[in-house]
C-alpha cells in the first residue's frame, strides 16, 4: 500500500510542474502577443501549451490538497501554514479557472484584444505564482526550509479577510461578469 505522504509528493510534483510550465508559457504568450522578441509566429503554440498545462495543473491540484491533508501530522488543517496553504491554493484555483473560462469564451482571439492579452498573461502567471508560494510553504512545513526563505515571508500568520473586503471582492466579481456579458453581446 502506498502512503498518503508518497501520494502527496507525486501529486504535488505533477501540479507544481504543470503550473510552472503554464507560467513560462503564459510569459511567452504575453511576449508573443505584444510582438516582442520576434515571437509572434509562436503565439498559437504557447497559447495552447499555457492553457493545457494550466488545466492539467487544476486537475492535479485537488489530489495534492487531499493527500496533503491526509499526510499532515495531527488532525488535519490545524497549523497556520496549512491554513495559509488552503487560502492560497483556493485563490490560485479560482484565478486559474477564471483564466481558462475566459480563454474558452473568447478563443484565441483573446490575444488580439489589448485588455485580453494583458489579463490572460497576468492572470495565468499570478495563479502560477500563488501555487509556487503554496509549494514553498509546504517545504517550510515539512522540511523547515524552502526556496523562498530569502524573502522571509510570514507563513505563520493567518490573514483573516474582513467582511468589507469580502463584499468588495464580490462586487468586483459581479461587475466583471456583467461587463464580460456586455462585451459578448
Amino acid at each position: 500500500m502506498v502512503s498518503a505522504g508518497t501520494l502527496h509528493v507525486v501529486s504535488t510534483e505533477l501540479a507544481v510542474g504543470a503550473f510552472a510550465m503554464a507560467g513560462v508559457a503564459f510569459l511567452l504568450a504575453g511576449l508573443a502577443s505584444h510582438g516582442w522578441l520576434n515571437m509572434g509566429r509562436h503565439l498559437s503554440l504557447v497559447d495552447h501549451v499555457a492553457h493545457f498545462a494550466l488545466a492539467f495543473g487544476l486537475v492535479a491540484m485537488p489530489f495534492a490538497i487531499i493527500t496533503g491533508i491526509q499526510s499532515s501530522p495531527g488532525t488535519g488543517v490545524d497549523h497556520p501554514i496549512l491554513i495559509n496553504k488552503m487560502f492560497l491554493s483556493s485563490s490560485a484555483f479560482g484565478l486559474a479557472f477564471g483564466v481558462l473560462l475566459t480563454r474558452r469564451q473568447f478563443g484565441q482571439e483573446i490575444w488580439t484584444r489589448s485588455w485580453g492579452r494583458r489579463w490572460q498573461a497576468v492572470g495565468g502567471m499570478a495563479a502560477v505564482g500563488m501555487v509556487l508560494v503554496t509549494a514553498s510553504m509546504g517545504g517550510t512545513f515539512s522540511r523547515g526550509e524552502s526556496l523562498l526563505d530569502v524573502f522571509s515571508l510570514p507563513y505563520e500568520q493567518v490573514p483573516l479577510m474582513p467582511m468589507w473586503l469580502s463584499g468588495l471582492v464580490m462586487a468586483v466579481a459581479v461587475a466583471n461578469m456583467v461587463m464580460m456579458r456586455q462585451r459578448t453581446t
Side-chain angles (χ1 to χ4, degrees):
M1 185 97 190
V2 179
S3 71
T6 302
L7 287 176
H8 181 61
V9 169
V10 171
S11 59
T12 299
E13 293 302 325
L14 282 173
V16 170
F19 272 95
M21 180 182 286
V24 170
F26 273 111
L27 175 65
L28 293 174
L31 293 172
S33 68
H34 285 89
W36 296 343
L37 302 177
N38 198 20
M39 294 185 53
R41 66 179 193 261
H42 300 294
L43 179 59
S44 178
L45 173 66
V46 292
D47 168 61
H48 286 91
V49 169
H51 290 95
F52 182 81
L54 193 65
F56 185 81
L58 284 180
V59 170
M61 185 183 282
F63 296 109
I65 292 170
I66 291 167
T67 58
I69 291 171
Q70 294 298 318
S71 65
S72 68
T75 59
V77 185
D78 57 356
H79 193 278
I81 291 177
L82 297 178
I83 294 169
N84 280 331
K85 284 182 66 164
M86 290 299 291
F87 281 156
L88 267 177
S89 63
S90 298
S91 298
F93 190 91
L95 184 57
F97 194 67
V99 166
L100 289 174
L101 284 179
T102 303
R103 170 58 170 82
R104 184 176 187 275
Q105 183 176 9
F106 292 102
Q108 212 168 358
E109 181 186 320
I110 193 93
W111 297 105
T112 62
R113 299 176 180 198
S114 62
W115 63 270
R117 74 175 70 123
R118 289 185 189 104
W119 290 111
Q120 274 298 103
V122 168
M125 288 187 294
V128 168
M130 285 189 240
V131 167
L132 295 178
V133 170
T134 303
S136 178
M137 286 177 165
T140 299
F141 181 74
S142 63
R143 294 181 306 277
E145 66 178 3
S146 75
L147 288 175
L148 300 181
D149 282 346
V150 297
F151 298 117
S152 300
L153 297 173
Y155 294 146
E156 298 280 338
Q157 299 172 359
V158 178
L160 296 178
M161 188 176 262
M163 189 60 77
W164 65 267
L165 188 55
S166 297
L168 179 66
V169 167
M170 179 139 0
V172 167
V174 169
N176 191 24
M177 288 185 342
V178 169
M179 287 174 40
M180 293 301 286
R181 195 48 95 180
Q182 288 175 351
R183 287 184 183 185
T184 60
T185 58

